[in-house]
Amino acid sequence: MTFANKIAASAGAAGLSLFAALPVWAQEAATAVAAPAAPAAEAAAPAPFVPTAEMVNKGDVAWMLVASALVLMMSVPALALFYGGLVRAKNMLSVLMQVLTIVCVAALVWFSWGYSMAFTSTGTPFPSLFGGLDKAFLAGVDVNTFAATFSNGVYLPEYVFVIFQMTFACITPALIVGAFAERVKFTPLIIFTVLWLTFAYFPIAHMVWYWAGPDFLHAAPTDYGLLWGWGALDFAGGTVVHINAGIAGLVGCLVIGPRLGYNTEPMPPHNLVMTMIGASLLWIGWFGFNAGSGLEANAFGALAFINTLVATAAAGATWAIIEQIIHKKPSLLGGVSGVVAGLVAITPAAGFAHPGTAIILGAVASLVCFFFVTTVKKKLKYDDSLDVFGIHAVGGIVGAIGTGFVANPAWGGQGWIDYTAPVAKAGEFDLVGQVTTQIWAVGTTVLWTGVVSAVLFLGLKYTIGLRPSKDVEQEGLDLAEHGERAYNL
């Protein structure tokens, strides 16, 4: 039985119990009127659960703050350097500025209304789709409030959780810019970022990750996001971050159109050394991204850590082997592409897989992403400049669906946890049902972000415009958009 079915069954049983108890309650009420001396304590409801400071572990706090810094490093400087090295020299500075500014803006939007939209369920007409504004500008959040982890009686200071999730909101829209690098105006891109975060990222984050917490969910069995309620597994953001950003990038590159000279003139990366440095920093930062998503300094954090290491290693080696077979020369560009594909694929499965199946997942994702980057893109002739769709969306889809397989306890996986029990316990794993749920989660993410992204890109294209003039694009965005160059030689 899946997680969603168990919740439904529990809710149904509770409803039948309440219905059956109505006559008894009526009798008890009459007895209470006739005998007013009955002890009031017998009618009193149990006190609601309240987290306390004693439930916070300093080791968890220290680890989560370090993990947050690692995830921030993934955006600046890692992603900025990775993307910057892949574009032509005349657009290097523009990419750095785009990533840097997106991080700044996303952090402020997260503080203003993003956290509330993603991680509350009050004050909203559709609590399973997105939260309200009760915690806008972090109203009600202070040093004395707490956020749940995945363990009964274990909590983080709420500020720690806000910080950690803020770094995810910063990197996700920054990933998108690689799909249409070298041909987008700066101001429309920043406007898109604010709107896309609001209507795509925050709702999907809410649907996948929002829940009441293990100490609350059995008393509030429907207080969760839509995909969480379905039982979809996404440990660190295969749907929320990578599919979400990858599909948005594909829509953007199609709406904006290909670069001038695409497929007719060479457009090699201008600095693969910088790209290698960026990819290496991404890999290091990803340990915070994945291992930190367990929210505790425990064995599951260690599991996510080793899976992130071995799956990525397998993906990088697989890409190099494929190039050796096909081209007789394994390239550095291919190597770093494989590494990122592995990082993306293991993200949703990091805390669920056995390291052996994580290696298989990384290798499979590398093979599939290689096919999309080298073959599908050429066949369909879309200009995904830095392969955001080919690696992040495709790798995220492989990883998200693959999570349904590698989480299987029969193959060394961790299964899923039934948090509706007063003390969380392992749930019965249904392989076919779980994979089906993963596919539904992928489809929902693709549809939601695809529609939102198309509306936003088309709206901006036909109002203030998205693309610079041909002269500006030929000259490069560095001087035209920012008045300076990355290099003054």
Side-chain angles (χ1 to χ4, degrees):
M1 183 179 290
T2 65
F3 179 47
N5 289 339
K6 282 185 174 290
I7 290 175
S10 300
L16 290 173
S17 299
L18 292 174
F19 181 77
L22 286 176
V24 178
W25 287 351
Q27 181 62 38
E28 288 178 351
T31 303
V33 172
E42 293 179 6
F49 178 83
V50 179
T52 63
E54 289 72 24
M55 297 176 183
V56 175
N57 181 285
K58 288 185 178 180
D60 292 337
V61 173
W63 162 236
M64 292 307 299
L65 290 175
V66 170
S68 300
L70 288 171
V71 181
L72 178 61
M73 185 185 74
M74 291 172 64
S75 301
V76 285
L79 183 68
L81 292 175
F82 181 76
Y83 278 177
L86 290 173
V87 299
R88 290 167 289 181
K90 62 183 180 181
N91 294 310
M92 167 67 172
L93 185 140
S94 71
V95 170
L96 298 180
M97 186 61 178
Q98 288 168 7
V99 173
L100 176 65
T101 306
I102 285 173
V103 170
C104 294
V105 169
L108 297 176
V109 172
W110 181 256
F111 162 80
S112 299
W113 63 85
Y115 176 67
S116 189
M117 281 189 66
F119 289 104
T120 69
S121 61
T122 53
T124 169
F126 304 105
S128 67
L129 300 181
F130 51 83
L133 299 177
D134 291 355
K135 291 188 177 182
F137 301 97
L138 299 189
V141 179
D142 57 36
V143 295
N144 298 309
T145 58
F146 304 97
T149 65
F150 295 97
S151 299
N152 292 91
V154 180
Y155 286 80
L156 292 170
E158 193 168 7
Y159 278 137
V160 174
F161 185 69
V162 171
I163 293 165
F164 183 65
Q165 288 294 340
M166 179 186 289
T167 61
F168 280 65
C170 289
I171 192 171
T172 306
L175 291 171
I176 299 172
V177 304
F180 40 80
E182 303 192 289
R183 60 191 192 279
V184 66
K185 293 193 290 185
F186 182 75
T187 299
L189 175 62
I190 302 306
I191 294 172
F192 169 83
T193 296
V194 174
L195 296 175
W196 186 84
L197 282 168
T198 303
F199 296 107
Y201 182 81
F202 301 150
I204 292 176
H206 179 87
M207 285 187 268
V208 174
W209 284 336
Y210 174 75
W211 67 308
D215 293 306
F216 296 93
L217 197 57
H218 66 279
T222 60
D223 190 12
Y224 48 70
L226 179 68
L227 301 188
W228 178 281
W230 288 353
L233 301 176
D234 187 352
F235 193 78
T239 51
V240 180
V241 176
H242 297 293
I243 298 175
N244 203 1
I247 295 299
L250 175 64
V251 172
C253 81
L254 293 175
V255 171
I256 295 172
R259 288 166 289 181
L260 296 177
Y262 179 66
N263 276 338
T264 61
E265 61 184 64
M267 298 180 180
H270 91 281
N271 193 329
L272 280 176
V273 173
M274 199 167 292
T275 295
M276 171 60 186
I277 294 170
S280 302
L281 291 174
L282 278 171
W283 193 346
I284 296 169
W286 224 290
F287 292 121
F289 196 87
N290 284 356
S293 290
L295 303 181
E296 299 173 59
N298 61 14
F300 291 99
L303 177 65
F305 198 110
I306 190 172
N307 284 340
T308 302
L309 183 54
V310 298
T312 305
T318 298
W319 199 296
I321 291 169
I322 294 171
E323 286 196 326
Q324 178 68 55
I325 294 171
I326 296 177
H327 303 303
K328 309 304 180 185
K329 293 179 180 179
S331 67
L332 176 63
L333 178 57
V336 296
S337 298
V339 162
V340 175
L343 289 167
V344 169
I346 195 57
T347 292
F352 300 113
H354 182 276
T357 56
I359 289 172
I360 296 171
L361 183 61
V364 170
S366 186
L367 177 63
V368 176
C369 289
F370 178 87
F371 175 70
F372 270 82
V373 167
T374 61
T375 303
V376 174
K377 186 167 75 168
K378 287 183 179 179
K379 292 285 186 182
L380 300 183
K381 299 180 180 178
Y382 58 88
D383 184 12
D384 178 7
S385 305
L386 310 182
D387 294 314
V388 175
F389 171 73
I391 291 178
H392 289 277
V394 173
I397 290 169
V398 171
I401 296 174
T403 299
F405 291 97
V406 300
N408 187 356
W411 301 340
Q414 299 303 311
W416 63 276
I417 304 299
D418 182 4
Y419 294 105
T420 61
V423 177
K425 62 182 182 180
E428 181 181 347
F429 194 84
D430 175 4
L431 179 61
V432 175
Q434 190 62 58
V435 172
T436 302
T437 299
Q438 298 300 112
I439 294 171
W440 274 102
V442 167
T444 301
T445 304
V446 169
L447 180 63
W448 186 288
T449 192
V451 171
V452 169
S453 301
V455 170
L456 295 180
F457 277 123
L458 289 170
L460 288 168
K461 179 178 181 177
Y462 292 111
T463 52
I464 63 175
L466 281 168
R467 189 164 186 158
S469 67
K470 291 183 178 181
D471 290 340
V472 167
E473 190 173 336
Q474 291 281 13
E475 180 187 10
L477 301 181
D478 288 4
L479 282 174
E481 290 280 322
H482 306 289
E484 53 190 353
R485 290 189 178 94
Y487 309 101
N488 290 294
L489 303 176

